[in-house]
Each structure stands twice: as structure tokens, then as C-alpha cells.
Amino acid sequence: MKYLYRLYQLFIVLPLFLVASVLTSLVTVIGCLIGNGHFWGYYPGKWWSIVAVRLCLLPIRIKGRENLEKGQSYVFVSNHQGAFDIFVIYGFLNRNFKWMMKKGIRRIPLVGIACEAAHHIFVDRSGPSKVRATYDKAREILKEGMSLVVFPEGCRTFTGHMGLFRRGAFMLADELQLPVVPLTINGSFNVLPRMRDWRFVTWHPLTLTIHKPIAPKGKGPDSVKQTMDQAYAAVMGGLVPEYQGYVENPDQ
């Protein structure tokens, strides 16, 4: 069965996914140039992600959508298990948002151009002024009423376990007094971990858990730390027992 699934990926999934990726990039860029950037920067990517998960025949379960209020802007923070985290959140969170992503993604053919056109936020840590510019842009996006999705670990896990959270997203939420929503992804590490990039997908169920929002309780460093610790505990608590517990990530 494993080899039949691999043949299916090679001759059906891969060609269709490549076509879908090119079309999504073109539609995003053209749509953002001539129309509403918030609409065209989100919906083509959302359907591209749904197609990717469905093509791979991966079952997915979403828990906790009732925790989100319509029209409310949030800072979403998620663990980062693997490449399929992007498809899980983009396709199934059902909330228009902008990503905060590594600046290296800008170099990916077509995808980088589409992300730039959609006004997703590239995190540049090459110097203090670049970091400030990154967070200035994120601040403006949030002030426009959009939501933001961040992987506060900053990189994918090597083990399925969580590393440390960085403070940036929580500082933004604190400054603007926005709720932080923890997200837990299960299964993505089993489907395609970073050690197997550009290789065959392994069939495994996916789950996205949307935890209850953490409302701002004050302002300042103590509030930031309290929210970050609470979010970390929520994300960790949603992981399957196999991946519970902190494991140091050498990339951090």
C-alpha cells in the first residue's frame, strides 16, 4: 500500500500540485495588483492549501472554531511541526490573516512573489533596523483589523517536540491589546518532517486545535511573559503524548 501511495503522489499529486501552485501564484499576484489585496492575498492560498491536503488523501480534523469571534482581530501562535503546517492553517483556520515568515521564502520561485504581493510579512533579523521594520509592518497590518499567524519557535522541529517561544508576537499583541490564540497542530511531523523535505508524503491524520483566546490582562513585560507562558502551555497541552515535553532545537 505504501508504494501504491507513492506512485499516486508521483504521477497524480505532484503534477496537479505544481499546476495548482503556478495558478495560485499568478491569481494572487494579478488579483492583488488590480483588486482587494486582503481578499486575493488570502483566498487563492486557502484553496491551494485545501487542494494540497485533499490530493494527498489526508484526513483532517478541526477543533475549537467556536472559540473565535467574527470580526475580531487575533494574533495566532502555533507550534511548527512540518511543511504541512502551512496547508493546515491556511486551508482550515477559516480566518483571513497575514503570515509572519522567514525572509528566505521570498526566494522560492513564484511562491515568494505571491507572498510579497499578498503583503505577508517577511521576518528579517539581519540587523536591529530590519527587525524594527518587520514589526512596524506587522503592527500596521494588525491596526487594519487583520489577524496575524506566527510560528513563535521560528523554525520547524527536528523531533516533533516544541522548542522555545520567541517574544515578538506576544509583544505586538501586548502593545495593541489584542487576544492571542494558541494553535496546536498534530500529525504534520508524521506527514512530512523537515528531515524529509522534497520526499514522499507519509499518510497520517492531521488535527488543528484552536484554543481559547488569551485576552490582554495588562501591559508591559510581565504581561508579555504571562501571555507567552500561557500560550506555550496551551499549545503543549494539545500535543499528542508522543510529542509532549520540551526538546531543544539547535536552530533556535
Side-chain angles (χ1 to χ4, degrees):
M1 198 66 180
K2 179 176 78 172
Y3 295 105
L4 282 176
Y5 187 47
R6 288 186 173 182
L7 287 172
Y8 167 73
Q9 290 178 53
L10 186 61
F11 293 108
I12 296 178
V13 176
L14 181 59
L16 291 177
F17 179 73
L18 290 175
V19 170
S21 298
V22 171
L23 290 176
T24 299
S25 298
L26 291 174
V27 169
T28 299
V29 171
I30 295 169
C32 289
L33 284 174
I34 64 176
N36 184 326
H38 290 334
F39 178 91
W40 293 104
Y42 171 67
Y43 283 99
K46 172 184 170 68
W47 286 105
W48 170 72
S49 298
I50 292 172
V51 165
V53 171
R54 299 306 188 200
L55 273 176
C56 291
L57 309 177
L58 301 173
I60 184 165
R61 182 184 179 197
I62 314 301
K63 300 189 288 186
R65 280 208 186 108
E66 69 277 4
N67 291 326
L68 302 181
E69 294 181 20
K70 187 176 181 180
Q72 172 66 52
S73 180
Y74 295 107
V75 176
F76 294 96
V77 294
S78 174
N79 62 317
H80 204 359
Q81 282 206 331
F84 268 72
D85 296 341
I86 306 299
F87 302 135
V88 169
I89 294 175
Y90 220 158
F92 300 92
L93 182 60
N94 282 5
R95 179 68 54 142
N96 199 331
F97 64 85
K98 302 297 182 185
W99 291 101
M100 284 191 77
M101 58 182 66
K102 288 183 175 181
K103 67 175 182 178
I105 293 175
R106 188 186 271 126
R107 297 194 294 269
I108 299 175
L110 291 176
V111 172
I113 297 172
C115 289
E116 195 157 10
H119 300 292
H120 294 304
I121 302 159
F122 296 101
V123 179
D124 190 340
R125 301 186 184 278
S126 59
S129 63
K130 299 289 188 181
V131 172
R132 282 196 298 271
T134 295
Y135 286 99
D136 286 344
K137 184 174 180 181
R139 191 179 295 111
E140 291 307 311
I141 290 293
L142 288 166
K143 285 179 178 177
E144 290 174 7
M146 291 293 293
S147 291
L148 190 67
V149 173
V150 184
F151 295 116
E153 294 168 275
C155 52
R156 289 174 291 165
T157 177
F158 284 99
T159 64
H161 297 263
M162 285 170 56
L164 300 172
F165 274 5
R166 291 173 171 157
R167 296 167 61 89
F170 303 96
M171 293 171 66
L172 275 173
D174 182 73
E175 178 185 340
L176 300 175
Q177 292 291 280
L178 290 173
V180 170
V181 179
L183 305 174
T184 302
I185 295 173
N186 281 296
S188 178
F189 182 76
N190 304 84
V191 170
L192 191 64
R194 64 184 298 179
M195 302 84 72
R196 291 197 290 108
D197 278 345
W198 308 110
R199 299 186 188 180
F200 288 105
V201 166
T202 299
W203 188 94
H204 194 280
L206 296 164
T207 304
L208 172 65
T209 302
I210 305 166
H211 298 279
K212 290 183 179 180
I214 303 170
K217 301 178 182 65
K219 207 167 187 181
D222 290 342
S223 176
V224 170
K225 186 177 187 311
Q226 182 181 356
T227 300
M228 184 169 67
D229 290 346
Q230 192 175 343
Y232 191 92
V235 177
M236 179 74 77
L239 287 170
V240 296
E242 180 182 0
Y243 298 125
Q244 288 275 339
Y246 163 76
V247 174
E248 182 180 2
N249 189 329
D251 273 2
Q252 290 193 305

